[in-house]
Amino acid sequence: MSESADRDARHKARMARKKAIVDEKIAQATDEYGLLLVHTGNGKGKSSSAFGMVARALGHGMKVGVVQFIKGAATSGEELFFRRFPEEVRYHVMGEGYTWETQDRQRDIEKARQAWVVATELLSDPDIGLVVLDELNIALKHGYLELDQVLADIAARPLYQHVVATGRGAPPGLVEAADTVTEMALVKHAFKAGVKAQKGVEF
Amino acid sequence: MSESADRDARHKARMARKKAIVDEKIAQATDEYGLLLVHTGNGKGKSSSAFGMVARALGHGMKVGVVQFIKGAATSGEELFFRRFPEEVRYHVMGEGYTWETQDRQRDIEKARQAWVVATELLSDPDIGLVVLDELNIALKHGYLELDQVLADIAARPLYQHVVATGRGAPPGLVEAADTVTEMALVKHAFKAGVKAQKGVEF
């Protein structure tokens, strides 16, 4: 047998074993219900991954609700884009900038609480299949919202509704309550090398 | 001073210091050019984050190209959704399933090379502001494409074009060439607890 044919044969055998394992796992995974996902960590991709899920959900005909707990300096591309679909996406930008921009804790608390009222409306609506709580983790980390109340409201949502919460520093209680948690870890970031935040990438 | 007022005052001082540092960093970050981003790791969010960037880019009026190197079993929500915008998104699904489904190395290599031909067309088009190379890392990891050729073609792209490559096991040479690299690390995944892959979340 030639070296290449041998390599191909070993590949085939290895992949056949892998397929058996994967098929078995898929057969075991039969539960279906709304998930709570958390995207945290210091790397890029926490919010953008949530907005990729919005695109997925819309592709499958689901309706989506978005609450952004912290507004950036410029209107984000995701906001500009998803506002094109007012019948499918309920889009709320509630914050007033990063906390080091406002420097006013009481106002930040007030804004976070107003945002949570809007979030609870989305979390009560069975027509909405996916709720994005963008930068919720920051509001929790700073103590602007009470974790117990937030977890109770999320737990009381419709059975098949998915929720994704993003932001650095997700509190342990939120991680514990979640079904799927990803830590976006920073390996390298262009910003540190002196590159500006750019349209389509960071916002 | 009451305890709460004291806490608010300390918050204000801390945030003012943070703002000075952040403003300084932003002032230093002046370069602007197309970035190469890599999303890797075993966690969820690599592809969805790339598709969130697609939404961002479209929001800013950019055109986007997508090549999916591995096709899933079902048509993905992102494909269903972004195909709504044929004037803005050039969407190509080139693969034939995971490698453990095909179990045929030569065919996988052939498919990956065909996909790369399409990718190079997108990477040569200055009208396209963002190119998504979804699961490219898998094709590189398996040796279906030559890293040197892939890096050369990416490096030769238009100056302001962003590229994002996703998939587990990004090879070191790709990480080295990238501007921004995120490792999506698995903290917890619902699938392991017996929950099915679900629409809007995993595909």
Side-chain angles (χ1 to χ4, degrees), chain B residues 68-196:
Chain B
Q68 292 196 288
F69 283 79
I70 294 177
K71 186 187 182 315
T75 302
S76 68
E78 59 266 27
E79 181 182 352
L80 290 166
F81 183 63
F82 288 119
R83 281 201 193 278
R84 286 197 206 168
F85 317 99
E87 303 294 315
E88 295 164 86
V89 184
R90 287 167 59 185
Y91 205 107
H92 304 273
V93 180
M94 303 294 296
E96 277 205 359
Y98 287 92
T99 53
W100 57 84
E101 289 292 345
T102 68
Q103 299 173 24
D104 184 337
R105 193 162 182 277
Q106 289 308 325
R107 196 176 64 176
D108 287 352
I109 289 173
E110 186 53 37
K111 291 285 168 190
R113 290 186 180 163
Q114 288 168 9
W116 190 250
V117 171
V118 173
T120 55
E121 287 165 14
L122 300 172
L123 292 167
S124 309
D125 186 343
D127 289 342
I128 294 182
L130 171 66
V131 176
V132 175
L133 303 171
D134 189 42
E135 305 290 8
L136 171 67
N137 303 349
I138 304 282
L140 290 169
K141 186 173 74 164
H142 285 290
Y144 296 166
L145 296 172
E146 283 196 30
L147 180 63
D148 288 350
Q149 186 61 53
V150 164
L151 291 180
D153 291 339
I154 289 174
R157 75 192 187 280
L159 183 61
Y160 292 104
Q161 187 183 72
H162 303 297
V163 174
V164 52
T166 78
R168 295 182 183 208
L174 182 65
V175 169
E176 197 179 317
D179 299 287
T180 294
V181 180
T182 307
E183 176 162 349
M184 277 69 173
L186 179 74
V187 178
K188 198 195 259 193
H189 199 301
F191 182 70
K192 300 216 169 189
V195 180
K196 272 173 84 166

Side-chain angles (χ1 to χ4, degrees), chain A residues 18-116:
Chain A
K18 184 156 184 175
K19 178 169 164 54
I21 293 166
V22 171
D23 286 350
E24 172 68 16
K25 280 191 190 164
I26 291 171
Q28 285 170 0
T30 52
D31 284 359
E32 200 167 340
Y33 52 79
L35 301 178
L36 171 59
L37 300 100
V38 173
H39 298 169
T40 193
N42 295 330
K44 194 186 142 27
K46 299 179 288 294
S47 296
S48 54
S49 174
F51 290 105
M53 288 173 59
V54 173
R56 281 184 180 160
L58 295 175
H60 291 299
M62 295 157 70
K63 291 195 195 310
V64 176
V66 176
V67 180
Q68 292 194 287
F69 283 78
I70 293 177
K71 186 188 180 319
T75 303
S76 68
E78 59 267 28
E79 181 183 353
L80 290 166
F81 182 63
F82 288 119
R83 282 202 191 278
R84 286 196 207 169
F85 318 100
E87 302 295 314
E88 296 164 87
V89 184
R90 286 167 58 186
Y91 206 106
H92 303 274
V93 180
M94 303 293 296
E96 278 205 357
Y98 286 91
T99 53
W100 58 84
E101 290 290 345
T102 67
Q103 298 173 23
D104 183 336
R105 192 162 183 278
Q106 288 307 324
R107 195 175 66 176
D108 287 352
I109 290 173
E110 186 52 38
K111 292 285 168 191
R113 289 185 181 165
Q114 288 169 10
W116 191 251

Side-chain angles (χ1 to χ4, degrees), chain B residues 16-88:
Chain B
R17 282 198 302 274
K18 184 157 186 175
K19 178 169 164 55
I21 292 166
V22 171
D23 286 350
E24 172 69 17
K25 281 191 189 164
I26 291 172
Q28 285 170 0
T30 52
D31 285 359
E32 200 167 339
Y33 53 80
L35 301 180
L36 171 60
L37 300 100
V38 172
H39 298 169
T40 192
N42 296 328
K44 194 186 141 28
K46 298 179 288 294
S47 295
S48 53
S49 173
F51 290 106
M53 287 173 59
V54 173
R56 281 184 180 160
L58 294 175
H60 290 299
M62 295 157 70
K63 291 196 194 307
V64 176
V66 176
V67 180
Q68 292 196 288
F69 283 79
I70 294 177
K71 186 187 182 315
T75 302
S76 68
E78 59 266 27
E79 181 182 352
L80 290 166
F81 183 63
F82 288 119
R83 281 201 193 278
R84 286 197 206 168
F85 317 99
E87 303 294 315
E88 295 164 86

Side-chain angles (χ1 to χ4, degrees), chain A residues 122-185:
Chain A
L122 300 172
L123 292 167
S124 308
D125 185 342
D127 290 340
I128 294 182
L130 170 66
V131 177
V132 175
L133 303 172
D134 188 43
E135 305 290 7
L136 171 66
N137 302 350
I138 304 281
L140 290 169
K141 187 173 73 163
H142 285 290
Y144 296 166
L145 296 171
E146 283 195 30
L147 180 63
D148 287 351
Q149 186 61 54
V150 164
L151 291 179
D153 291 339
I154 290 174
R157 74 190 188 281
L159 183 60
Y160 293 104
Q161 187 183 71
H162 303 297
V163 174
V164 52
T166 78
R168 295 182 183 209
L174 182 66
V175 168
E176 197 179 320
D179 300 287
T180 294
V181 179
T182 307
E183 176 164 347
M184 277 68 173

